[in-house]
Amino acid sequence: MTMHNTELLAASCRVALAAYLHDLGKFAERARIEVPIDALDAHKTQYCPFHTIDKGGKNGYHSHVHAAYTGLAFDVVEQTAPDLIKGDMHPFINRAQLQVDDTRTTDSLINAAAAHHKPDTFLQWIIATADRVASGFERDEFEKYNAAKDENAETQTGKNHYQARQLSLFEQIRIDGAPQKFTVKDLKWRYPLQALSPTSIFPQLREQCEPGDDGPAQAQYKQLWQDFLIALKSIPAAHRSNWPLWLDHFDTAWLTFTHAIPAATAFGTKPEVSLYDHSKTTAALATALWRWHEAEGKTNAVAAQALAKGNRGEDVHIEKLLLIQGDFFGIQDFIFAEGSQTNKAAAKLLRGRSFQVSLFTELAALKVLDALSLPPTSQIINAAGKFLIVAPNTGEVRAQLAQVRADINQWFLQHSFGLAGLGLIGKPASCNDLLKGNFKTLMQGLFAALEKAKLQRFDLTVVSNPVFTVAYPHGICQYNDKLPADKLEGNNKASSALSRDQIKLGSALTREDRLLIVRDPAELSGGNLSRLEVSVFGYGVIFTKSEEVTGKFGALAKDGNLQRCWDFSLPVNLTDTLWNGYARRFINAYVPHFSELDLQTSSKYRGLEGEVEWDDLRFGIGKTLNHIACEDRQPKSDRVDDASQWQGQTALMTLKGDVDNLGTIFQQGLSEPTFAKMAALSRQMNAFFAIWLPAFCAKEFPNTYTVFAGGDDFFLIGPWHSTQQLAARMATEFKTYVAHNEKITFSAGMVMTKPGQPIHTLATQAEEALGAAKGSDKNAVVVYGERVRWPDWSKVQAAQDQLERVRKSYDLSTGYVYGLMQLIDLANDKANPEHAMWRSRFAYRTRRYVVDKIREPEKRQRAQTELSVALGEQGINDLGTRYRIPLFNHFYRQR
């Protein structure tokens, strides 16, 4: 059967949904949904393996009862899904056809999904194979799993399938080559059974979230199930006519309510992968496998028999899959590009360019999916400028991928002159490559292929004329001196379209909630829409406000013009469920806004009039970096309307960091990696920075710009002292997030600067500080040029608190405190013959100070003792040069 691209895409979406929801019954059964007994028995007979317990075969039991519930629960889901009953359902048949002729060998979509433990037909075997490969099962291993009795069976954790909560993969990571010395029952951390929110992505201790009996355990599932059904109803009904658009929304809904549901909870398994990650990888693999077989014309019973042999046959070694990786390169050069007017628009440019990086990566992935007629569920990973798509390994797909690569290269050369780009490679793989014993090798090959692609940027060796002429009709762009200007603005300053889009993005991100991706933006107009000038890889990008303001764009969805509709809004608080009826992309950063309190205390900004418009201070608008630099100033009195009553340094702190040993974590961290585990680990690593961090900044550190945060790294700019506190909180929270695994850490570099410094300078200095923090043992931070390992940061903070306490208690002078700097130098200069004299000099200076300051002998002695302990022992002696951090903070707070 020859299909047009739209038909092929719709068919691929249907296969994806069938595979995606093959374990829908696990969710439904644990929620104890009400089903008629006779219907349940019929579904058990049809979908569940039957095991005899006597020779006559009369007595026995059905295992994997969740498969029966999958068939039953589909009836509920299909009420809010695209039509699954009538019309064209290729490669499945619709239900009406099935009822007329039950001799057909083609399945209904529901049959193919539910029969994955009792497969017979080709489509059933496609989904069953994808299910097993996603979990890394070999045939013999799966047959044991398939034959086991699951009624109230315990997992390796000692809990049954209702009570067991998902383990943390982070807790199990080992990167030092040592064998895993723990038993599964010893693992302490679990994920709470809650909808997705910035808080619920954190694991909890087992006793805090794992119920002791079935009643409360089932009640939690039931509530989650009911919320899931309500969520499906909130997807715009008009979007059901557009399969990929609806499936993208559905994917986010499924993520929201199944991210913490363990996929495997019986037969002695480890409940360590979520139902979401298993569903997503199964859907991607099933779609690619079906598409390969469809292209090869191998969709009959013979093909089903070949699939059924698993790793015992030859079919498993055929490279049917093409793993496509994309990697955005030149991110820092792109975000921190300079121009004559860069600093005046720094805040808007930063957030606009950062968002563009995420947007370019998302749209590059969409370009690949569209070109290959693949559903959104074929995109397994998209984080921090990288994505992974599972495609069929056919000649046509490889040719289309080459064309997409050429198109994307040309776009970046035209619009960024090669300053940024996207590497795009495809690596063939067989199902055998994804089995447990082989997956590590495949992963290493993927990493190597991507590294090679980075060295072959833009395919310049195959381009006949890589040098092209460019006109500069208006000179260079004032915001990016590498780009030609194509327009003169009202102030007679020149700019490029890409830079104008960045400014527009920087403004829109503070006001808008949704992003429309369309083929033809000309069809859309209205005052509630904000359109980017530059079409990205052929897509129009339009910002829109909330649904109530702009409508649901049903007509655009029906005619296929609306490709995607993404919600990127930040949660109001840390416990908000991250679902608003649309597909979500975690690509937004937190932007500081003026609050009512900021307006009431606006005198702290006085002195900036020459750099910012004073009239621009309005509730809800974004703050400039100049304003941010003032936010750690403190009032000296109650007169907050008086500019002279504020003290403290006006300065910024740039914070850059990333996870230590990330490549080793992914390539060697898990003893038995699988495709689903790899996808889960990547998603969860990204979530800390892309979901929790912006929400946490909004709640606890509202004056911090999250320039970018996602994947494994982050770049923040905030007030000089608050940013130190934020970094320390991040280290503490990250420790909990990775289940207190000492092998998973991050390092960070901080640089303090006056406002007005070029952004590129901030980035370069922060990168150098991060490099110094990595050192030999990593897990450290550098601030003021001093390196502190995170486990020792509490000592620095304690010394800071002690310094502030004794300063207030004994009214220490600036001169006395400043003199400690010289003693630090002496104490740590081991080559100086007078090195050991720092103690006597400290004691002499302290004695003179207290004698001059305090009259009562007893108070003098107490002061001498306290200062000796707080400043001498706990400060200079214990911290060494790191004691400069509390001292610098002290001085800057007094200015």
Side-chain angles (χ1 to χ4, degrees):
M1 171 177 184
T2 302
M3 290 177 280
H4 298 295
N5 285 351
T6 53
E7 295 173 328
L8 184 60
L9 177 56
S12 299
C13 287
R14 287 188 282 266
V15 173
L17 182 64
Y20 202 125
L21 292 184
H22 73 285
D23 275 344
L24 174 66
K26 289 184 176 179
F27 193 0
E29 191 274 333
R30 294 175 205 170
R32 306 306 295 158
I33 65 169
E34 296 182 5
V35 294
I37 296 299
D38 57 342
L40 179 60
D41 288 340
H43 278 70
K44 285 182 181 179
T45 301
Q46 185 173 3
Y47 300 127
C48 303
F50 183 79
H51 310 278
T52 59
I53 57 177
D54 60 25
K55 291 183 179 180
K58 295 180 180 179
N59 298 309
Y61 62 91
H62 286 100
S63 65
H64 301 80
V65 175
H66 71 268
Y69 277 87
T70 291
L72 293 165
F74 244 105
D75 294 338
V76 180
V77 172
E78 71 181 12
Q79 296 173 19
T80 56
D83 188 5
L84 301 177
I85 298 176
K86 56 185 182 296
D88 180 16
M89 287 295 294
H90 183 79
F92 310 101
I93 61 171
N94 63 45
R95 198 170 300 174
Q97 292 172 311
L98 190 64
Q99 291 171 347
V100 170
D101 183 3
D102 60 6
T103 65
R104 288 173 175 262
T105 56
T106 303
D107 289 293
S108 69
L109 188 150
I110 294 176
N111 280 351
H116 59 284
H117 283 288
K118 194 180 177 182
D120 180 44
T121 67
F122 166 71
L123 288 172
Q124 291 172 8
W125 268 110
I126 284 287
I127 293 175
T129 300
D131 173 31
R132 300 171 191 192
V133 170
S135 299
F137 276 129
E138 295 184 350
R139 175 181 168 132
D140 292 345
E141 187 180 5
F142 186 83
E143 286 179 349
K144 293 177 182 177
Y145 170 83
N146 216 28
K149 187 173 183 178
D150 64 339
E151 183 180 354
N152 235 19
E154 286 189 354
T155 68
Q156 288 186 32
T157 66
K159 296 288 185 178
N160 66 24
H161 65 302
Y162 298 120
Q163 302 164 15
R165 295 295 176 257
Q166 187 178 316
L167 302 173
S168 168
L169 288 173
F170 292 123
E171 187 177 7
Q172 303 174 58
I173 294 289
R174 296 292 181 270
I175 62 173
D176 51 9
Q180 294 182 348
K181 298 179 181 178
F182 51 78
T183 63
V184 176
K185 288 187 178 182
D186 291 333
L187 294 173
K188 299 178 180 179
W189 296 86
R190 308 287 187 272
Y191 291 100
L193 192 65
Q194 298 171 1
L196 186 70
S197 73
T199 300
S200 69
I201 63 176
F202 280 73
Q204 298 177 357
L205 289 171
R206 177 179 185 172
E207 53 270 21
Q208 293 176 331
C209 67
E210 201 162 53
D213 53 63
D214 290 349
Q218 292 168 349
Q220 288 179 354
Y221 270 111
K222 185 173 184 179
Q223 182 62 57
L224 208 57
W225 174 260
Q226 291 171 345
D227 292 342
F228 169 63
L229 296 184
I230 293 171
L232 293 186
K233 294 177 181 178
S234 65
I235 298 176
H239 292 195
R240 297 177 199 167
S241 61
N242 184 322
W243 259 105
L245 183 63
W246 179 86
L247 193 57
D248 197 29
H249 298 328
F250 181 85
D251 179 60
T252 294
W254 189 252
L255 165 66
T256 304
F257 297 98
T258 68
H259 77 104
I261 294 178
T265 55
F267 321 104
T269 56
K270 289 166 65 177
E272 58 188 353
V273 174
S274 76
L275 188 55
Y276 172 76
D277 293 301
H278 178 67
S279 301
K280 185 78 173 281
T281 49
T282 299
L285 290 168
T287 304
L289 288 173
W290 172 73
R291 284 281 298 275
W292 184 89
H293 279 268
E294 183 82 1
E296 296 292 324
K298 297 179 179 180
T299 59
N300 55 16
V302 175
Q305 292 170 4
L307 289 168
K309 292 180 181 179
N311 61 308
R312 296 179 186 172
E314 294 299 321
D315 191 76
V316 72
H317 297 284
I318 299 174
E319 292 182 329
K320 302 178 183 179
L321 308 172
L322 189 67
L323 303 183
I324 299 172
Q325 289 190 107
D327 188 5
F328 193 106
F329 54 77
I331 291 179
Q332 291 215 150
D333 289 339
F334 181 81
I335 292 179
F336 303 117
E338 293 184 288
S340 62
Q341 297 297 311
T342 302
N343 283 350
K344 289 193 175 181
K348 289 181 180 179
L349 280 171
L350 278 176
R351 58 183 180 255
R353 289 170 175 172
S354 175
F355 191 88
Q356 261 185 343
V357 169
S358 299
L359 184 62
F360 290 161
T361 311
E362 289 285 353
L363 293 180
L366 178 59
K367 179 82 171 176
V368 173
L369 293 172
D370 276 355
L372 307 185
S373 300
L374 289 171
T377 50
S378 291
Q379 179 181 323
I380 296 295
I381 295 169
N382 199 338
K386 296 180 176 63
F387 63 79
L388 175 65
I389 290 171
V390 184
N393 184 28
T394 66
E396 183 179 1
V397 163
R398 292 191 297 272
Q400 289 169 328
L401 181 62
Q403 183 59 54
V404 170
R405 182 190 298 112
D407 292 344
I408 290 176
N409 281 342
Q410 186 58 40
W411 190 94
F412 275 111
L413 287 171
Q414 177 184 349
H415 292 283
S416 80
F417 289 79
L419 294 176
L422 189 127
L424 192 62
I425 61 105
K427 180 173 177 57
S430 68
C431 289
N432 187 65
D433 292 331
L434 273 71
L435 299 183
K436 286 181 181 177
N438 307 325
F439 188 70
K440 274 189 178 181
T441 303
L442 176 63
M443 283 288 293
Q444 291 167 355
L446 282 170
F447 274 89
L450 203 54
E451 287 301 311
K452 182 178 179 181
K454 291 179 181 178
L455 303 175
Q456 299 174 335
R457 299 179 180 184
F458 300 111
D459 293 332
L460 293 179
T461 56
V462 299
V463 177
S464 57
N465 184 19
V467 180
F468 47 92
T469 58
V470 180
Y472 285 77
H474 302 290
I476 61 173
C477 172
Q478 61 177 321
Y479 304 111
N480 188 331
D481 57 16
K482 300 294 191 300
L483 300 180
D486 58 15
K487 183 178 180 181
L488 285 175
E489 299 179 3
N491 55 7
N492 207 34
K493 292 180 179 177
S495 62
S496 65
L498 196 66
S499 293
R500 291 193 297 275
D501 276 348
Q502 290 161 358
I503 298 290
K504 182 177 288 187
L505 278 167
S507 298
L509 289 173
T510 65
R511 304 190 304 267
E512 318 292 9
D513 296 316
R514 294 199 177 92
L515 200 63
L516 305 180
I517 309 300
V518 298
R519 289 193 184 279
D520 183 9
E523 289 188 28
L524 287 170
S525 61
N528 292 318
L529 302 175
S530 180
R531 182 183 308 164
L532 298 188
E533 286 186 52
V534 180
S535 175
V536 182
F537 313 138
Y539 299 107
V541 180
I542 299 172
F543 282 88
T544 175
K545 295 183 185 296
S546 64
E547 175 181 292
E548 292 74 17
V549 176
T550 57
K552 301 181 181 180
F553 303 103
L556 291 172
K558 290 179 180 178
D559 67 17
N561 188 16
L562 182 59
Q563 296 296 104
R564 296 290 189 270
C565 181
W566 291 329
D567 170 27
F568 60 86
S569 59
L570 292 176
V572 175
N573 57 58
L574 294 173
T575 57
D576 269 6
T577 297
L578 299 176
W579 168 254
N580 293 314
Y582 294 83
R584 176 176 278 274
R585 291 297 186 271
F586 303 105
I587 56 178
N588 201 1
Y590 173 70
V591 176
H593 299 80
F594 282 103
S595 66
E596 290 291 354
L597 180 60
D598 290 322
L599 299 181
Q600 293 168 13
T601 59
S602 60
S603 63
K604 64 186 170 186
Y605 305 124
R606 291 293 178 183
L608 299 178
E609 290 90 337
E611 300 176 46
V612 297
E613 294 295 329
W614 196 254
D615 292 338
D616 282 349
L617 268 68
R618 300 189 307 277
F619 175 80
I621 68 168
K623 295 180 179 179
T624 69
L625 295 181
N626 292 305
H627 293 118
I628 298 299
C630 299
E631 296 298 349
D632 276 342
R633 303 185 75 193
Q634 297 296 317
K636 293 187 286 187
S637 69
D638 293 336
R639 296 189 56 193
V640 295
D641 59 338
D642 185 349
S644 67
Q645 295 303 303
W646 292 88
Q647 71 176 12
Q649 186 71 43
T650 298
L652 297 169
M653 188 71 83
T654 303
L655 168 63
K656 189 178 193 303
D658 61 38
V659 175
D660 300 319
N661 307 309
L662 186 73
T664 306
I665 288 172
F666 274 90
Q667 295 184 59
Q668 303 175 21
L670 295 172
S671 61
E672 289 189 331
T674 65
F675 197 29
K677 287 182 190 178
M678 184 270 292
L681 198 60
S682 176
R683 177 182 64 80
Q684 290 173 326
M685 185 68 79
N686 178 66
F688 179 82
F689 300 105
I691 297 178
W692 176 81
L693 182 55
F696 181 69
C697 286
K699 181 73 169 57
E700 302 288 342
F701 293 88
N703 292 310
T704 304
Y705 265 104
T706 51
V707 178
F708 61 77
D712 73 308
D713 63 349
F714 52 92
F715 189 101
L716 313 176
I717 299 178
W720 68 272
H721 191 242
S722 298
T723 304
Q724 296 177 50
Q725 298 170 323
L726 168 59
R729 284 291 303 276
M730 286 175 62
T732 300
E733 298 291 340
F734 189 70
K735 186 175 181 179
T736 300
Y737 189 76
V738 298
H740 286 251
N741 188 335
E742 296 180 355
K743 301 300 181 181
I744 310 178
T745 58
F746 72 76
S747 296
M750 284 190 272
V751 176
M752 181 178 174
T753 57
K754 296 288 287 182
Q757 286 287 320
I759 297 301
H760 191 273
T761 300
L762 301 187
T764 301
Q765 292 177 349
E767 182 68 35
E768 291 172 353
L770 174 58
K774 291 289 184 179
S776 58
D777 49 358
K778 303 182 180 180
N779 190 26
V781 60
V782 165
V783 58
Y784 302 134
E786 297 295 333
R787 185 175 185 272
V788 183
R789 299 196 74 252
W790 282 122
D792 295 331
W793 183 261
S794 59
K795 298 177 183 177
V796 176
Q797 185 58 56
Q800 177 87 60
D801 296 341
Q802 283 279 56
L803 175 60
E804 296 302 323
R805 183 184 64 79
V806 296
R807 184 195 66 81
K808 291 179 181 178
S809 297
Y810 301 110
D811 192 25
L812 299 180
S813 67
T814 300
Y816 172 79
V817 178
Y818 194 82
L820 298 177
M821 288 288 193
Q822 296 173 326
L823 295 177
I824 291 174
D825 292 338
L826 182 60
N828 289 276
D829 185 3
K830 302 293 177 63
N832 189 334
E834 298 181 354
H835 153 70
M837 296 178 65
W838 78 265
R839 290 182 186 276
S840 60
R841 292 182 182 181
F842 170 76
Y844 173 74
R845 293 184 71 252
T846 302
R847 181 63 181 170
R848 284 199 56 182
Y849 186 80
V850 299
V851 166
D852 292 343
K853 200 81 172 179
I854 302 172
R855 295 186 180 278
E856 299 87 343
E858 291 183 4
K859 288 186 178 180
R860 287 178 180 172
Q861 185 59 45
R862 184 168 63 248
Q864 178 87 28
T865 301
E866 283 195 41
L867 293 175
S868 296
V869 173
L871 307 182
E873 294 306 312
Q874 296 178 353
I876 299 173
N877 185 64
D878 291 352
L879 291 180
T881 61
R882 297 173 299 176
Y883 194 48
R884 291 181 182 134
I885 298 172
L887 290 176
F888 279 133
N889 287 339
H890 169 78
F891 296 136
Y892 290 141
R893 292 175 75 175
Q894 308 307 313
R895 291 186 178 180

